[in-house]
Amino acid sequence: MKRALGQPQSASRTPLTPKVLSRAEHGISRDDISENALKVLYRLHNGGYQAYLVGGCVRDLMLGLHPKDFDVVTDATPEQVKGLFRNCRLIGRRFRLAHIVFGRDIIEVATFRGHHQSEEQPETLGKQNEDGQILRDNVFGSIEEDAERRDFTINAMYYNIADYTVTDFADGMSSIKNKRLDLIGDPHTRYREDPVRMLRAVRFAAKLNMTIGKDSADAIHELHGLLANIPAARLFEEVLKLLVSGQGLATYRLLREYQLFDQLFPQLKPLLRDNDSRENQFIEQVLINTDNRINTGQRVTPAFLYAAMLWYPLEEHCQKLMLEAGLNHHDAFSVAINDVLHRQIQRIMIPKRFSTGMRDIWHMQPRLAKRFGRRAYQLLEHPKFRAAYDFLLLRGQIEGGELLELADWWTQFQDADANDRKAMLNKLRGGQPAPRKRRRRRPKRDSSAPS
């Protein structure tokens, strides 16, 4: 099947030389593989199908890490997989996948991918746009074709449950040894097929402490604008993988180095030209704190992270509205929140459950400065107080001055007892006691009036 003139090539076919590693050579033990993944592998194998672990889990096991997920690949079609497992559901349109559900644990099973330009497969099963981006990919093939279509050399290693060997198709072991991340095939073609691979390159480089190979890195500098073609909903999940991984700071710095961060948060681009800017320092401190929380087993919320990313664009836009439209701060702040969020969701679709949390954190910032009377106690009881206080504290650490004094005041007020809190509030009023609220007297009842 010939390719039409001017049509982008559907896949970069790179002849691979597989190397089979014995159990003694690769060192992966079934004790390190999840019980549910083993159940899936053995049932596929016993059903007469090929069954392999593939990708990140094999790579991480090679590196002595503990994989979060175990992905399985097979020659069985999604419908055949569903026929073997009662607890299976089929998902996806762009990529048809089988999810085997064990409570909260999900084992993802994919069928070997084939090349789009195949005599055996109908052309309608695979589809690309004019930039070469794959839009639909339900084209099945052999394990060799599947390996050719993997993104990075370190992800083209297959653990075979039949004989416990690992087949290394793209010399991934050398990449691990040299701590270098390389794409399989021509980087320009592979990035055009799926621009998210540029984000994955940065994420793996940060996670595994690797250097992106020169050809793969140069192509990112040329093609980073293709991220504009990625649906905003998909980018939300990708950004979480990037920044809520425990290596958020290292990932952020690489994203900026390769001009990818500008594609994700365009409103921040004019504010991050200087590494010493308060905006950059604030984001880096937020990511340091996020990494520390994740690496110590504490929870983080995307609402806080996104609120931090967009805080200074929000402040700048608020000031602009006050100057140009003559709005007071309260009205300008509310309009700015809507405008900044609207612009951001054109690039990254933020679910409402998180955008609502962002709004709460932002609205609480000016309120935290108004502490007189009962307001301080009311704010302390607000369900979003802790997140708003943490946000204020980070701002104070970066900006200093009155903002840091305000954050320190709230730090003391939280831990103070009832008497100390009253004293702190009296001090705010210059030592004057709080004015007593006058009680309205009820009018005297006229005893002569009829009851």
Side-chain angles (χ1 to χ4, degrees):
M1 186 181 299
K2 292 185 178 181
R3 180 164 54 100
L5 187 63
Q7 188 73 8
Q9 187 176 350
S10 61
S12 58
R13 300 195 182 207
T14 303
L16 302 179
T17 306
K19 180 180 179 182
V20 178
L21 306 176
S22 67
R23 169 68 178 81
E25 291 176 293
H26 61 69
I28 295 178
S29 169
R30 279 169 290 170
D31 292 338
D32 299 323
I33 301 172
S34 85
E35 181 180 346
N36 292 329
L38 288 173
K39 288 179 182 177
V40 172
L41 289 167
Y42 279 122
R43 185 172 295 186
L44 285 168
H45 175 65
N46 294 334
Y49 300 105
Q50 298 177 54
Y52 297 84
L53 287 180
V54 69
C57 60
V58 178
R59 175 200 69 220
D60 288 351
L61 289 171
M62 291 283 197
L63 289 166
L65 304 175
H66 298 288
K68 292 176 61 178
D69 303 299
F70 290 87
D71 294 333
V72 173
V73 69
T74 178
D75 58 347
T77 65
E79 289 72 19
Q80 289 171 329
V81 174
K82 187 173 178 62
L84 287 176
F85 296 90
R86 294 172 58 187
N87 54 333
C88 174
R89 63 177 183 228
L90 301 184
I91 66 162
R93 295 178 61 186
R94 179 172 175 267
F95 296 108
R96 193 73 165 152
L97 299 168
H99 277 183
I100 316 301
V101 182
F102 299 91
R104 294 186 177 182
D105 187 21
I106 296 177
I107 305 299
E108 187 172 277
V109 180
T111 305
F112 293 140
R113 300 290 170 195
H115 293 298
H116 287 196
Q117 297 174 351
S118 170
E119 299 294 340
E120 293 79 17
Q121 294 288 349
E123 190 174 3
T124 55
L125 290 177
K127 184 179 179 182
Q128 290 176 278
N129 67 11
E130 62 275 9
D131 291 321
Q133 182 180 340
I134 296 175
L135 304 178
R136 188 168 60 242
D137 195 23
N138 294 311
V139 181
F140 306 137
S142 65
I143 187 173
E144 290 79 13
E145 290 176 307
D146 190 82
E148 290 170 7
R149 295 204 46 199
R150 294 280 156 183
D151 47 12
F152 301 100
T153 59
I154 57 173
N155 289 340
M157 295 185 286
Y158 294 68
Y159 175 84
N160 190 352
I161 197 62
D163 56 10
Y164 316 125
T165 59
V166 168
T167 303
D168 181 0
F169 279 92
D171 205 14
M173 290 296 289
S174 292
S175 296
I176 289 175
K177 180 180 178 181
N178 296 323
K179 299 184 77 65
R180 189 184 67 246
L181 194 68
D182 289 308
L183 277 163
I184 298 173
D186 172 56
H188 290 79
T189 302
R190 304 314 305 278
Y191 289 145
R192 287 184 183 278
E193 287 176 347
D194 186 1
V196 168
R197 284 178 178 144
M198 293 184 280
L199 299 180
R200 285 168 59 83
V202 165
R203 176 159 61 91
F204 291 145
K207 175 184 176 179
L208 304 173
N209 192 26
M210 289 183 169
T211 300
I212 302 176
K214 185 179 185 306
D215 291 344
S216 299
D218 289 346
I220 297 178
H221 287 296
E222 296 177 35
L223 301 175
H224 55 76
L226 291 178
L227 281 177
N229 298 335
I230 301 301
R234 185 182 177 198
L235 282 181
F236 176 77
E237 296 297 332
E238 293 298 331
V239 169
L240 288 189
K241 294 176 186 177
L242 288 164
L243 301 179
V244 190
S245 61
Q247 298 88 25
L249 179 61
T251 305
Y252 165 70
R253 289 174 174 172
L254 284 175
L255 287 171
R256 290 194 61 206
E257 178 183 341
Y258 289 103
Q259 298 172 278
L260 294 168
F261 192 79
D262 296 343
Q263 302 298 318
L264 301 173
F265 295 93
Q267 294 177 88
L268 275 165
K269 183 177 180 179
L271 305 179
L272 295 177
R273 294 193 178 102
D274 183 1
N275 287 336
D276 294 326
S277 67
R278 64 173 186 174
E279 291 84 0
N280 186 58
Q281 291 180 40
F282 182 58
I283 291 174
E284 291 208 347
Q285 189 58 56
V286 168
L287 290 171
I288 289 171
N289 291 7
T290 300
D291 289 346
N292 289 339
R293 289 183 65 86
I294 292 171
N295 294 326
T296 54
Q298 301 179 70
R299 294 179 60 185
V300 298
T301 172
F304 190 94
L305 188 62
Y306 276 93
M309 292 292 175
L310 298 173
W311 171 251
Y312 286 111
L314 169 61
E315 268 202 333
E316 184 179 76
H317 190 47
C318 176
Q319 293 297 323
K320 183 179 179 181
L321 289 171
M322 291 173 66
L323 288 172
E324 297 182 358
L327 298 177
N328 61 46
H329 182 272
H330 180 271
D331 292 342
F333 195 67
S334 297
V335 173
I337 286 176
N338 291 332
D339 289 349
V340 167
L341 277 175
H342 176 74
R343 292 172 186 172
Q344 184 57 45
I345 63 176
Q346 306 307 307
R347 295 304 303 120
I348 303 174
M349 180 58 69
I350 305 172
K352 188 174 181 179
R353 66 183 184 278
F354 298 128
S355 63
T356 299
M358 293 167 64
R359 289 175 182 272
D360 289 339
I361 291 171
W362 286 339
H363 279 300
M364 287 281 283
Q365 298 307 297
R367 292 179 62 191
L368 287 170
K370 301 172 182 178
R371 299 158 284 171
F372 299 102
R374 297 292 306 169
R375 286 180 176 175
Y377 296 101
Q378 292 168 352
L379 288 171
L380 204 59
E381 297 300 320
H382 194 285
K384 294 295 182 181
F385 169 79
R386 185 68 200 188
Y389 160 74
D390 288 342
F391 197 88
L392 175 69
L393 189 60
L394 282 167
R395 292 174 56 212
Q397 290 171 352
I398 299 302
E399 297 185 33
E402 294 182 357
L403 200 61
L404 183 58
E405 292 178 5
L406 176 62
D408 289 341
W409 188 92
W410 277 108
T411 301
Q412 297 175 42
F413 190 76
Q414 292 177 75
D415 297 330
D417 59 25
N419 291 330
D420 288 341
R421 286 180 178 177
K422 288 182 180 178
M424 291 178 69
L425 292 172
N426 284 337
K427 189 176 180 180
L428 286 177
R429 290 186 290 266
Q432 297 298 319
R436 295 185 63 182
K437 193 172 183 180
R438 296 183 62 182
R439 295 177 61 185
R440 294 180 61 186
R441 290 186 178 182
R442 293 183 180 179
K444 289 184 178 180
R445 185 176 177 181
D446 188 350
S447 58
S448 62
S451 59

